[in-house]
Amino acid sequence: ETGVTQTPRHLVMGMTNKKSLKCEQHLGHNAMYWYKQSAKKPLELMFVYSLEERVENNSVPSRFSPECPNSSHLFLHLHTLQPEDSALYLCASSRGQGAADTQYFGPGTRLTVL
Amino acid sequence: AQKITQTQPGMFVQEKEAVTLDCTYDTSDQSYGLFWYKQPSSGEMIFLIYQGSYDEQNATEGRYSLNFQKARKSANLVISASQLGDSAMYFCAMREATNAGGTSYGKLTFGQGTILTVHP
């Protein structure tokens, strides 16, 4: 299943680096999401974009900056991260319609902050 | 506020046997959706099955079925004829529909997950 792709799959960065995570969906969906999955914690919703407009920002620190240039692409720009930001970052997309709005996930980017 | 509880941190099952993974939820919404996802060690979250709050019949998808008991607010996943490839983390999630930006989207709340190990 290659409906939602994420690059890179693994990323190691220092606290002073700037990097970006990329997500692309090939499903014709209208909504895209960023989640953070830390060890021993449930998935945490970070951002939601609906029709390229940010509609949800769950008190995420400003060192995480999302960008949605079109309905197929979603980026997460990272700068001056902390070691506690090390986690699996998952992107998802959904149609954004109907009661059974199912989110489909990408493979994730495993981020390590040194 | 919504809450999803998965009380089984880990479960073990023999290959070819059935296993039930528990999920209870708490919501004051009348309309909601319940989802199960599988996460192998590779990290990808794989959608398995969906149950709507107004669906009268339990959802089924191949070897997966959802035992939906609305009065008890439970949505247990049943995997029949377990296979070695079923070994993974399983997450229960609940959706609250939210409208913004000209469209609705599914805001999911996830449980802590259950690690399933299938023994040969």
Side-chain angles (χ1 to χ4, degrees):
Chain A
E1 176 62 53
T2 57
V4 182
T5 58
Q6 289 186 244
T7 55
R9 294 295 307 276
H10 300 271
L11 179 62
V12 179
M13 58 187 290
M15 290 190 286
T16 58
N17 292 159
K18 289 185 179 181
K19 296 287 184 182
S20 295
L21 310 185
K22 179 183 176 181
C23 175
E24 185 173 358
Q25 60 98 359
H26 310 273
L27 302 169
H29 288 167
N30 292 322
M32 296 188 76
Y33 311 76
W34 278 117
Y35 287 89
K36 175 184 178 182
Q37 186 179 26
S38 305
K40 300 182 181 179
K41 292 177 71 174
L43 270 76
E44 302 170 67
L45 179 64
M46 300 175 72
F47 300 104
V48 182
Y49 276 81
S50 176
L51 296 174
E52 301 155 42
E53 177 185 344
R54 191 191 311 179
V55 295
E56 185 110 13
N57 177 349
N58 274 358
S59 302
V60 179
S62 59
R63 56 186 184 269
F64 295 91
S65 175
E67 178 190 2
C68 186
N70 55 62
S71 59
S72 299
H73 294 86
L74 184 65
F75 294 89
L76 188 63
H77 304 300
L78 317 171
H79 63 95
T80 58
L81 294 191
Q82 305 299 311
E84 60 264 28
D85 297 323
S86 299
L88 180 67
Y89 289 84
L90 290 160
C91 172
S93 71
S94 72
R95 286 182 180 159
Q97 297 172 7
D101 186 43
T102 301
Q103 293 181 26
Y104 294 90
F105 286 78
T109 294
R110 195 164 295 278
L111 173 67
T112 303
V113 181
L114 301 176
Chain B
Q2 295 182 332
K3 183 179 176 182
I4 297 285
T5 303
Q6 294 180 253
T7 58
Q8 307 154 314
M11 288 286 286
F12 296 88
V13 65
Q14 205 73 26
E15 193 178 9
K16 300 181 185 178
E17 293 186 349
V19 64
T20 298
L21 306 184
D22 295 341
C23 173
T24 58
Y25 59 92
D26 184 23
T27 181
S28 56
D29 291 350
Q30 296 300 310
S31 177
Y32 51 89
L34 297 156
F35 299 80
W36 277 92
Y37 285 87
K38 171 185 178 182
Q39 187 178 39
S41 56
S42 59
E44 183 177 1
M45 297 283 283
I46 302 167
F47 166 69
L48 295 178
I49 195 167
Y50 163 81
Q51 179 86 42
S53 59
Y54 294 117
D55 295 341
E56 295 188 353
Q57 296 205 346
N58 288 340
T60 60
E61 287 287 346
R63 295 186 299 111
Y64 304 107
S65 61
L66 202 152
N67 185 359
F68 181 46
Q69 298 189 43
K70 194 171 182 177
R72 292 185 171 187
K73 293 189 175 179
S74 74
N76 298 339
L77 177 70
V78 180
I79 305 175
S80 62
S82 297
Q83 302 172 356
L84 296 178
D86 293 335
S87 293
M89 177 79 91
Y90 288 80
F91 290 95
C92 180
M94 180 164 62
R95 172 200 56 79
E96 60 174 331
T98 307
N99 294 296
T103 188
S104 65
Y105 61 92
K107 182 177 178 180
L108 291 178
T109 303
F110 285 83
Q112 294 272 14
T114 297
I115 299 175
L116 176 66
T117 304
V118 181
H119 289 301

